[in-house]
Amino acid sequence: MGATGSGKTTFINLLSGSNLEVGSGLQSCTSTVEVASPFQLDGRWISLIDTPGFDDTTRSDTQILTQIASFLATAYESGKKLAGVIYMHRISDVRMGGISTRNFKMFRQLCGDSTLKNVVIVTTMWGEVSREIGEAREKELANDSKFFKPVLDKGAHMLRHNNVVTSAQAILFHLIGNHPRALTIQQELVDQKKDISETAAGEELNRELVTQINRHKQEVMMLQEEMKEAIRAKDEETKKELDFETSKLQAEIARIQEECRRLASEYAEQKEALEQRVAEVMAAARKDAEIVEENHRRQLQELEDRLHQTAMTSSSEKEEIQRKLSELQRRFEEMRSQLKPRRGRGVFGKIGRTLDSGLHL
């Protein structure tokens, strides 16, 4: 997780060999939750999940929250938890402005304090600043209570990523041995059956939206005062400009109000789509398993018939049939295990890949 352009997708591609699209300009490329190809590290299967930031250029914060929340809730319902969460921040940023602060606030509400021991804050873009400047900013971020100090005090860690495989792997080594934990958003939506607007992240988003609405209303009031003055001065050109600006602000207020109302319904739509895709892939997996088992039974019966028919023949032929029976059973067990959704295949086995593709509906 992290702001747009903080290096999330590049980090994932570097480690996994995936080809997730990376943004090169101001436009965000990660507009939905994406699951990278699984890879092995230190004998473990690793799957990394890419999420859009809450400053996405193509989707609203409401859409981002519903996408992330529905993915996490569906995964949790399938019995899957995260071993770690990585939050990325550009050390090249001169200051931690409003956008970065909003992203980090939403991140904290999604994770909750109980999972902070499984959180690593990763600073990126070290090649864009001098070592002295980077270290000074890193110290400020770690020690200022307005930035990362509160989460570091509660068990999170802060590491650097130098855009090379070794530093990326070092970050994962810090997480892969963790006991997987449910995030707060998962517990709220699944265990506590809360409406998304009642979750900590939903309430934070609503507070942010209400703040935006109030700010725009203040701006409208100021424009209305200027309008009165323009009318008194019979300044038609200024009046037209103020009319235009007022209409823009009122339209923005209406959009934000609609965004508040849409939070619950958008989550329900996303969740339903994901659940349908999971049901489909599980049905397909069961069908595949039935076909495999039927073929196995048929081949097994054929070999047993041959063994019975060769009761009076040479021991060497019997040994060959027994060998084939053993080989058939071994292959059957391998195929059956491959059809099972297994931890470490995809993000969450077949379910993980389905959750990924489901978010692209």
Side-chain angles (χ1 to χ4, degrees):
M1 297 184 185
T4 297
S6 57
K8 302 187 297 292
T9 306
T10 301
F11 177 86
I12 289 174
N13 287 343
L14 181 66
L15 280 164
S16 67
S18 298
N19 291 303
L20 304 185
E21 189 175 0
V22 178
S24 57
L26 298 177
Q27 196 83 355
S28 170
C29 281
T30 307
S31 58
T32 186
V33 178
E34 293 186 277
V35 181
S37 301
F39 60 96
Q40 280 194 307
L41 181 65
D42 197 30
R44 296 173 182 261
W45 280 101
I46 308 291
S47 290
L48 299 174
I49 307 164
D50 198 6
T51 68
F54 284 92
D55 55 335
D56 190 84
T57 53
T58 60
R59 303 206 172 203
S60 68
D61 285 354
T62 296
Q63 290 173 311
I64 300 305
L65 176 58
T66 55
Q67 287 171 355
I68 294 174
S70 57
F71 178 92
L72 290 172
T74 307
Y76 184 50
E77 286 172 339
S78 301
K80 309 303 175 184
K81 301 174 189 175
L82 301 175
V85 186
I86 298 170
Y87 182 85
M88 307 197 104
H89 175 78
R90 295 180 295 259
I91 201 68
S92 56
D93 286 356
V94 176
R95 60 188 178 86
M96 192 163 173
I99 290 174
S100 295
T101 301
R102 186 168 85 248
N103 266 284
F104 191 62
K105 278 183 180 178
M106 291 301 298
F107 169 77
R108 283 204 65 183
Q109 301 302 344
L110 285 165
C111 292
D113 288 349
S114 63
T115 57
L116 289 178
K117 289 182 179 179
N118 285 8
V119 166
V120 171
I121 296 171
V122 173
T123 51
T124 61
M125 312 298 174
W126 281 86
E128 296 183 12
V129 295
S130 67
R131 181 170 180 170
E132 293 76 14
I133 290 174
E135 289 179 348
R137 289 177 185 169
E138 182 183 51
K139 185 177 180 181
E140 183 181 9
L141 290 168
N143 295 301
D144 195 319
S145 59
K146 298 192 299 291
F147 304 140
F148 300 144
K149 186 178 187 301
V151 300
L152 295 175
D153 287 346
K154 292 182 178 180
H157 294 84
M158 191 168 175
L159 300 173
R160 300 179 187 178
H161 174 47
N162 297 314
N163 204 32
V164 294
V165 173
T166 50
S167 75
Q169 288 178 337
I171 292 164
L172 291 194
F173 279 126
H174 208 83
L175 295 170
I176 58 177
N178 288 345
H179 176 69
R181 298 172 183 266
L183 304 185
T184 291
I185 188 76
Q186 294 174 312
Q187 294 173 327
E188 290 173 322
L189 291 171
V190 179
D191 297 335
Q192 300 168 26
K193 310 295 183 186
K194 286 186 177 183
D195 184 276
I196 190 170
S197 60
E198 298 171 335
T199 65
E203 288 176 349
E204 178 64 36
L205 178 57
N206 277 328
R207 275 194 296 273
E208 187 68 33
L209 294 174
V210 168
T211 299
Q212 290 180 38
I213 288 171
N214 290 336
R215 185 172 64 248
H216 289 325
K217 284 182 176 178
Q218 286 292 112
E219 291 170 352
V220 168
M221 289 173 64
M222 292 171 62
L223 287 173
Q224 287 172 340
E225 289 299 314
E226 291 182 36
M227 180 75 74
K228 290 176 184 177
E229 183 62 33
I231 291 171
R232 280 195 296 270
K234 296 182 179 179
D235 187 344
E236 289 299 319
E237 185 175 345
T238 300
K239 182 176 176 297
K240 285 180 181 178
E241 289 175 359
L242 292 171
D243 268 336
F244 178 72
E245 291 299 321
T246 301
S247 297
K248 275 175 59 178
L249 283 171
Q250 288 172 336
E252 181 64 10
I253 290 171
R255 184 193 67 77
I256 296 172
Q257 288 172 333
E258 177 60 22
E259 198 172 323
C260 288
R261 287 191 290 270
R262 286 280 298 165
L263 182 59
S265 60
E266 285 197 7
Y267 172 75
E269 290 168 7
Q270 287 276 346
K271 191 72 169 57
E272 184 180 359
L274 283 174
E275 287 172 348
Q276 178 62 33
R277 294 299 297 272
V278 169
E280 289 172 0
V281 80
M282 294 307 292
R286 283 193 296 270
K287 186 175 180 181
D288 288 346
E290 288 170 2
I291 292 171
V292 168
E293 289 187 13
E294 177 58 33
N295 287 338
H296 171 70
R297 281 194 296 269
R298 179 178 53 78
Q299 293 176 45
L300 192 63
Q301 187 61 52
E302 288 175 359
L303 286 172
E304 287 177 345
D305 288 345
R306 282 182 59 194
L307 186 62
H308 179 71
Q309 291 166 6
T310 57
M312 303 301 293
T313 60
S314 67
S315 60
S316 61
E317 188 172 354
K318 289 180 183 179
E319 288 174 3
E320 178 64 16
I321 294 173
Q322 288 285 9
R323 186 191 66 77
K324 288 181 178 179
L325 279 168
S326 298
E327 177 66 14
L328 178 63
Q329 187 64 28
R330 184 190 65 78
R331 286 167 49 201
F332 170 66
E333 293 298 334
E334 284 183 0
M335 292 176 69
R336 187 164 60 177
S337 67
Q338 288 171 5
L339 287 169
K340 283 184 180 178
R342 282 176 14 186
R343 190 166 180 251
R345 298 289 187 182
V347 167
F348 304 124
K350 287 195 171 189
I351 293 175
R353 290 190 293 275
T354 301
L355 295 180
D356 179 28
S357 61
L359 286 163
H360 292 82
L361 284 176

